[in-house]
Amino acid sequence: EVQLVESGGGLVQPGRSLKLSCAASGFTFSNYGMAWVCQAPTKGLEWVASISTGGGNTYYRDSVKGRFTISRDNAKNTLYLQMDSLRSEDTATYYCARHKNSGYFDYWGQGVMVTVSS
Amino acid sequence: ETVLTQSPTTTAASPGEKVTITCRASSSVSYMHWYQQKSGASPKLWIYDTSKLASGVPNRFSGSGSGTSYSLIISSIETEDAATYYCQQKSSDPPMTFGGGTKLELK
């Protein structure tokens, strides 16, 4: 059974950092691209970042470029999102999701809440 | 960036009725994907590659479209279908984008 379990969320002050983790199991992690998708309270879904199977290619939405870094450790079956210079508008639930070739997300984690507030 | 516009944003239907949700793209896309999200839960893949049903999705659901116009259709809605549905595309270059969502309620 495919499982994606996020952790690392919480309350953080503006300008500070947070690192999210996503532990994957039930599939060969290194064979799949992965992504982070967020959802602000009562809002819709927004793609945040994606990473290729080996980690050599990364992609970001404009609003997080230069502040967020997606990475992965295939030996540990874990996806990461380093979030720096956090802003109030980054407040959201962050989902880890598995990528398929034509660009859809076939499995999602349960989500982790990030609240940026003083 | 390809913007996806869903319509309607909310809709209500009675059990047994047919429901169509439309997703229009600001530029042509190759495929459209759809997700179902119920309150307090993670999104679930519902339809992928425009018309393929994800595992476990009832066959009263279907997807169609091409270019800039795509649809999710429920032939005969049931109470368990109440949820918010999102379309999503991936063009050749990032970013991939989601529609704003359509909230489907049962009367």
Side-chain angles (χ1 to χ4, degrees):
Chain A
E1 179 194 4
V2 172
Q3 284 201 313
L4 299 170
V5 180
E6 301 96 335
S7 60
L11 173 64
V12 62
Q13 293 180 328
R16 303 298 290 265
S17 299
L18 207 59
K19 187 171 186 177
L20 306 182
S21 299
C22 171
S25 61
F27 65 102
T28 304
F29 182 68
S30 58
N31 286 353
Y32 290 86
M34 298 293 295
W36 290 96
V37 176
C38 73
Q39 186 170 34
T42 73
K43 301 297 184 183
L45 302 169
E46 278 193 342
W47 168 77
V48 175
S50 292
I51 189 167
S52 60
T53 54
N57 294 305
T58 56
Y59 310 91
Y60 301 91
R61 67 178 298 107
D62 284 348
S63 62
V64 308
K65 280 181 185 174
R67 299 190 300 123
F68 291 8
T69 303
I70 188 171
S71 63
R72 64 191 297 160
D73 185 334
N74 286 344
K76 295 183 177 180
N77 293 338
T78 303
L79 176 72
Y80 302 101
L81 185 67
Q82 176 68 44
M83 310 168 73
D84 297 326
S85 303
L86 281 160
R87 306 167 180 169
S88 58
E89 54 263 37
D90 297 321
T91 295
T93 296
Y94 286 76
Y95 296 100
C96 161
R98 192 176 83 168
H99 247 295
K100 293 288 284 186
N101 284 344
S102 60
Y104 59 89
F105 307 108
D106 61 346
Y107 286 95
W108 298 64
Q110 85 285 355
V112 62
M113 184 69 198
V114 172
T115 303
V116 184
S117 175
S118 54
Chain B
E1 174 177 321
T2 301
V3 177
L4 301 181
T5 303
Q6 288 184 234
S7 61
T9 51
T10 61
T11 189
S14 299
E17 287 186 358
K18 180 179 179 179
V19 173
T20 300
I21 299 171
T22 298
C23 181
R24 299 198 187 278
S26 60
S27 57
S28 183
V29 300
S30 300
Y31 297 105
M32 193 63 70
H33 316 298
W34 297 87
Y35 301 86
Q36 181 197 68
Q37 186 179 33
K38 295 195 174 183
S39 181
S42 304
K44 291 182 179 179
L45 178 66
W46 214 243
I47 295 174
Y48 65 99
D49 294 351
T50 301
S51 60
K52 298 175 183 175
L53 301 186
S55 177
V57 174
N59 60 14
R60 62 181 178 273
F61 285 85
S62 63
S64 66
S66 64
T68 61
S69 183
Y70 293 82
S71 297
L72 179 155
I73 301 158
I74 311 172
S75 61
S76 177
I77 195 168
E78 298 190 6
T79 54
E80 65 182 20
D81 301 335
T84 299
Y85 294 86
Y86 294 92
C87 58
Q88 177 249 323
Q89 67 80 31
K90 173 193 172 291
S91 56
S92 57
D93 296 318
M96 53 195 73
T97 51
F98 290 88
T102 294
K103 186 174 183 179
L104 174 58
E105 298 173 333
L106 273 289
K107 290 181 183 175

